Amino acid sequence: MENSLDNLLAPSLRQSIEVNLGKSTLNKIEQRLMERHGMGIAQAIKDFHKFDSVLREFFGAGADGLETKFLQNIIDLKQQKKGIDNWVTIKDQILAKIFLESFADEDKKAIIGTVLDESLIIADILEHCNVPQTSGYRKINQLIDNGLLISNECAVSTDGKKIKKYETIFNNVKMDIEKNVVVVKIQLKKRSFQESTILQVIPN
């Protein structure tokens, strides 16, 4: 089962890793990940212990400093280590703008509000929100692709098929714009915070 925070951070983290290590080294790491674990970079980042183990093959104890460097411009590491009420500050501007744009869209805002406290199948989300089906499906899929919604359980239909239920990855969001910089703070659901493989691996 994917962790919602890892899923959210993965695209930005992959880009940060490539910027810091270079494409050539990244390709070598990816090749080794395929050999050892049968997965690429994107998948390994969501199961960060596996990425960490391969990184240590290349850099030894230096992997600690690298991992901190990869993450320091994406989330506030000092704050997340304190783990105060599961709040995390997003520093990555691309990621922050995804939140800003999602809440600026009335349909997406309604979708998020509908699954803030409970998980629902897509059909029920659309019914609750009174959003047109075609655009509603598209916007829900955008929220899923961007990591704001995640499926952690399924419903069973009358014919026995499993249907994914979706929920938000957070309980609360605060957004500000300071000196043209978008500052987003998200209060993660407890399980998301505690079970994040990325946060587990970050050096203390």
Side-chain angles (χ1 to χ4, degrees), residues 116-134:
L116 201 58
D117 298 316
E118 62 176 333
S119 57
L120 296 169
I121 63 171
I122 290 178
D124 288 345
I125 296 171
L126 295 175
E127 187 178 337
H128 279 70
C129 295
N130 197 25
V131 175
Q133 195 172 65
T134 304

Side-chain angles (χ1 to χ4, degrees), residues 105 107-108 111 126 130-142:
D105 183 299
D107 288 343
K108 287 183 180 179
I111 291 164
L126 295 175
N130 197 25
V131 175
Q133 195 172 65
T134 304
S135 61
Y137 269 103
R138 178 171 49 81
K139 290 183 179 185
I140 288 172
N141 282 320
Q142 286 172 350

Side-chain angles (χ1 to χ4, degrees), residues 77-185:
L77 297 180
K78 290 180 182 177
Q79 189 201 44
Q80 75 79 17
K81 284 174 186 172
K82 294 176 185 175
I84 301 170
D85 296 327
N86 304 329
W87 283 95
V88 172
T89 300
I90 304 291
K91 296 169 72 176
D92 179 75
Q93 284 301 285
I94 294 173
L95 198 51
K97 283 173 183 174
I98 286 172
F99 277 87
L100 191 66
E101 289 165 3
S102 296
F103 278 89
D105 183 299
E106 289 301 321
D107 288 343
K108 287 183 180 179
K109 187 177 178 181
I111 291 164
I112 289 167
T114 300
V115 289
L116 201 58
D117 298 316
E118 62 176 333
S119 57
L120 296 169
I121 63 171
I122 290 178
D124 288 345
I125 296 171
L126 295 175
E127 187 178 337
H128 279 70
C129 295
N130 197 25
V131 175
Q133 195 172 65
T134 304
S135 61
Y137 269 103
R138 178 171 49 81
K139 290 183 179 185
I140 288 172
N141 282 320
Q142 286 172 350
L143 290 168
I144 294 166
D145 290 342
N146 287 332
L148 275 67
L149 299 185
I150 195 163
S151 173
N152 277 329
E153 59 179 314
C154 293
V156 180
S157 65
T158 51
D159 59 358
K161 291 181 181 177
K162 288 186 176 180
I163 307 169
K164 286 184 176 181
K165 297 172 76 174
Y166 292 92
E167 63 180 356
T168 57
I169 67 164
F170 47 79
N171 289 321
N172 204 350
V173 176
K174 295 178 181 177
M175 286 181 281
D176 292 299
I177 298 177
E178 300 172 3
K179 297 178 181 177
N180 294 323
V181 175
V182 180
V183 179
V184 175
K185 296 180 181 180

Side-chain angles (χ1 to χ4, degrees), residues 15-70:
Q15 187 176 8
S16 177
I17 291 167
E18 184 170 341
V19 167
N20 281 282
L21 296 183
K23 203 160 190 174
S24 176
T25 303
L26 188 67
N27 288 341
K28 290 175 184 175
I29 290 171
E30 186 152 36
Q31 186 177 353
R32 185 61 178 143
L33 280 165
M34 289 301 296
E35 291 170 359
R36 280 189 61 182
H37 302 294
M39 60 175 64
I41 289 281
Q43 193 178 353
I45 288 170
K46 296 177 186 180
D47 191 353
F48 206 69
H49 294 290
K50 290 176 181 172
F51 177 81
D52 175 69
S53 68
V54 170
L55 195 68
R56 287 178 192 283
E57 282 188 25
F58 285 80
F59 298 102
D64 288 344
L66 284 171
E67 286 165 352
T68 300
K69 193 174 182 181
F70 297 155

